[in-house]
Amino acid sequence: MSAAVDAPRPSLATRAPLLIVLCGCLIAMLSFGPRASSGLFMLPMTGEYGWGRDTFGLAIAIQNLLWGVGTPFAGAVADRFGVTRVLWIGAALYAAGLALMAYSATPGLLHLSAGVLVGFGLSGCSFNIVLAAFGKMLPEKWRPLSFGAGTAAGSFGQFLFPPLAAGLNTTIGWHQTLLVFGLAMLLIMPLAMALSGAPPASKAGERQQSIGAALGEAFRHPSYVLLVLGFFTCGFQLAFVTTHLPAYLMDRGLSITVGGWTLAVIGLANIVGSLGSGWLSSRMPRRYLLAGIYFARGLAIIAFLLLPASPVTAIGFGIVLGLLWLSTVPPTSGLVMLMFGTRYLAMLYGFAFFSHQVGGFLGVWLGGLLYESLGSYDFVWWLSVALSFASAIINLPIVEKPVVRAPVPAAG
């Protein structure tokens, strides 16, 4: 009787793993939606305040950079104290940034709101933290597909929010649209409660590491360094396309509606791409999967640049790019977990994501800067092609094995 009373209660991850996945996916969807819609606010804001595209581009570049800077620190806090507090703080900052962005009549305020506040907010409540929670909380058999599902949910946010932003901008105005999006971010807080379970206890015989030792081990590991370097390209391309594609399509004679729907179909197609990538990550070498994704992206961009501009080619490009969009995330996070385990997964994936966001900073910033100086986006598009092929090559030498560690001495 007492044994039954004293038996530990099964964790939520054991009793209801689907609930954890569902709430995590809703968080990923909500957090990814507004930032995927940023390009739809560029022309209304620059037109109203007389700014150049480089001013708006710098704000989104700051957002991408600070999202990357904050993610390893948010991950370290989540690894140590759990993800719920991190998600709450991130959601509050995100909501505040979107609300302030609605009233940002100067470049400084825009950089503070859309750049600093939204950037740090994303570092605390985006799919990166959700995927790390999945890796820690869920049974091993759930992990590969849950990584794909969490990434796909972010893509559904990209499918849902850009057309919503385009429609609301037309009906209630861009100021009010940002306020609505800010309120929506507060929904993350109750959803985060499902991810409040403590991380699993350390396994017997597992080596205990400090944060500094874990970082030193990772950055001395050549395969981790290659993975981090290759992820730079993903960020460069995603941020550039998200921010500048609607304006690029308008420059080529298409409507803002086509731009919104192109971003939307990228998100929709990426639901398929991310789930497929999560499924393939457990069935083929992840380095080959990553190399193939980057190589295919380069070919897709070349075709898009050489074909005549039309709604058909724009939407077609969105579908193809969407299949390859965030499909890099499941194999990347899976490789980090394979190499180093789950103890510092949020932090170590956070450093890989920092490289991603440095690429994002440069993609957005160079897009606006070179457009203002050269009058077109062509140079940045072709630079994106070159980076695709470089990353395909970089990922090939990765060794898909756990890091070699000295055995833990037996207790005396």
Side-chain angles (χ1 to χ4, degrees), residues 218-300:
F219 282 101
R220 288 192 300 270
H221 193 49
S223 292
Y224 179 75
V225 174
L226 291 173
L227 187 68
V228 168
L229 291 175
F231 214 25
F232 172 94
T233 292
C234 185
F236 185 98
Q237 295 169 333
L238 268 58
F240 170 68
V241 168
T242 299
T243 304
H244 293 285
L245 182 63
Y248 172 77
L249 293 175
M250 290 187 72
D251 291 342
R252 296 191 68 182
L254 303 178
S255 70
I256 189 66
T257 302
V258 173
W261 278 106
T262 301
L263 291 179
V265 298
I266 288 174
L268 188 63
N270 190 42
I271 295 173
V272 178
S274 297
L275 289 171
S277 177
W279 183 80
L280 288 171
S281 289
S282 60
R283 289 165 173 81
M284 67 177 290
R286 294 180 178 98
R287 65 187 185 280
Y288 294 152
L289 180 57
L290 285 169
I293 290 168
Y294 287 121
F295 187 77
R297 276 194 198 172
L299 295 180

Side-chain angles (χ1 to χ4, degrees), residues 245 248-249 252 254 258 262 265-266 300-301 303-321:
L245 182 63
Y248 172 77
L249 293 175
R252 296 191 68 182
L254 303 178
V258 173
T262 301
V265 298
I266 288 174
I301 295 170
F304 175 60
L305 295 177
L306 298 181
L307 288 171
S310 71
V312 173
T313 56
I315 298 298
F317 174 66
I319 292 171
V320 174
L321 192 62

Side-chain angles (χ1 to χ4, degrees), residues 18 21 25 131 134 142-156 266-284 289 293 322-331:
L18 190 59
V21 173
C25 285
L131 296 186
F134 286 171
W142 280 77
R143 290 173 186 168
L145 196 57
S146 72
F147 287 169
T151 309
S155 302
F156 186 73
I266 288 174
L268 188 63
N270 190 42
I271 295 173
V272 178
S274 297
L275 289 171
S277 177
W279 183 80
L280 288 171
S281 289
S282 60
R283 289 165 173 81
M284 67 177 290
L289 180 57
I293 290 168
L323 292 172
L324 308 166
W325 189 251
L326 286 173
S327 54
T328 56
V329 172

Side-chain angles (χ1 to χ4, degrees), residues 52-402:
R53 294 183 190 180
D54 52 340
T55 298
F56 188 90
L58 179 59
I60 306 303
I62 292 170
Q63 176 192 116
N64 278 276
L65 184 63
L66 295 185
W67 183 7
V69 168
T71 296
F73 295 101
V77 174
D79 285 334
R80 182 65 63 90
F81 301 108
V83 302
T84 303
R85 293 184 183 88
V86 175
L87 289 168
W88 283 351
I89 293 170
L93 289 173
Y94 201 166
L98 291 172
L100 182 60
M101 185 179 172
Y103 300 102
S104 294
T106 67
L109 277 177
L110 179 67
H111 297 155
L112 173 63
S113 58
V116 177
L117 291 176
V118 173
F120 280 132
L122 280 163
S123 71
C125 69
S126 67
F127 66 91
N128 309 290
I129 300 297
V130 170
L131 296 186
F134 286 171
K136 288 175 173 292
M137 297 180 70
L138 292 173
E140 190 167 347
K141 66 179 181 180
W142 280 77
R143 290 173 186 168
L145 196 57
S146 72
F147 287 169
T151 309
S155 302
F156 186 73
Q158 181 166 342
F159 167 72
L160 182 65
F161 277 75
L164 183 61
L168 290 176
N169 282 352
T170 303
T171 55
I172 65 175
W174 65 267
H175 301 271
Q176 288 74 20
T177 301
L178 286 167
L179 293 175
V180 170
F181 283 2
L183 286 173
M185 295 308 99
L186 297 179
L187 295 174
I188 291 172
M189 292 182 170
L191 293 169
M193 295 300 295
L195 305 182
S196 61
S202 299
K203 297 176 183 177
E206 185 177 64
R207 177 173 294 277
Q208 299 302 302
Q209 282 184 303
S210 66
I211 288 176
L215 286 175
E217 178 183 71
F219 282 101
R220 288 192 300 270
H221 193 49
S223 292
Y224 179 75
V225 174
L226 291 173
L227 187 68
V228 168
L229 291 175
F231 214 25
F232 172 94
T233 292
C234 185
F236 185 98
Q237 295 169 333
L238 268 58
F240 170 68
V241 168
T242 299
T243 304
H244 293 285
L245 182 63
Y248 172 77
L249 293 175
M250 290 187 72
D251 291 342
R252 296 191 68 182
L254 303 178
S255 70
I256 189 66
T257 302
V258 173
W261 278 106
T262 301
L263 291 179
V265 298
I266 288 174
L268 188 63
N270 190 42
I271 295 173
V272 178
S274 297
L275 289 171
S277 177
W279 183 80
L280 288 171
S281 289
S282 60
R283 289 165 173 81
M284 67 177 290
R286 294 180 178 98
R287 65 187 185 280
Y288 294 152
L289 180 57
L290 285 169
I293 290 168
Y294 287 121
F295 187 77
R297 276 194 198 172
L299 295 180
I301 295 170
I302 290 173
F304 175 60
L305 295 177
L306 298 181
L307 288 171
S310 71
V312 173
T313 56
I315 298 298
F317 174 66
I319 292 171
V320 174
L321 192 62
L323 292 172
L324 308 166
W325 189 251
L326 286 173
S327 54
T328 56
V329 172
T332 299
S333 53
L335 281 170
V336 174
M337 187 170 64
L338 172 66
M339 292 176 193
F340 306 108
T342 62
R343 177 66 182 90
Y344 289 110
L345 175 60
M347 181 183 67
L348 295 179
Y349 177 72
F351 274 98
F353 189 72
F354 173 67
S355 173
H356 184 282
Q357 293 308 102
V358 171
F361 171 86
L362 291 174
V364 177
W365 179 61
L366 287 177
L369 185 68
L370 293 178
Y371 177 86
E372 293 297 327
S373 60
L374 301 177
S376 80
Y377 290 114
D378 289 349
F379 181 85
V380 184
W381 279 117
W382 287 106
L383 177 59
S384 183
V385 171
L387 288 171
S388 272
F389 296 147
S391 283
I393 295 170
I394 283 173
N395 278 277
L396 289 175
I398 289 174
V399 177
E400 301 189 34
K401 293 180 180 179

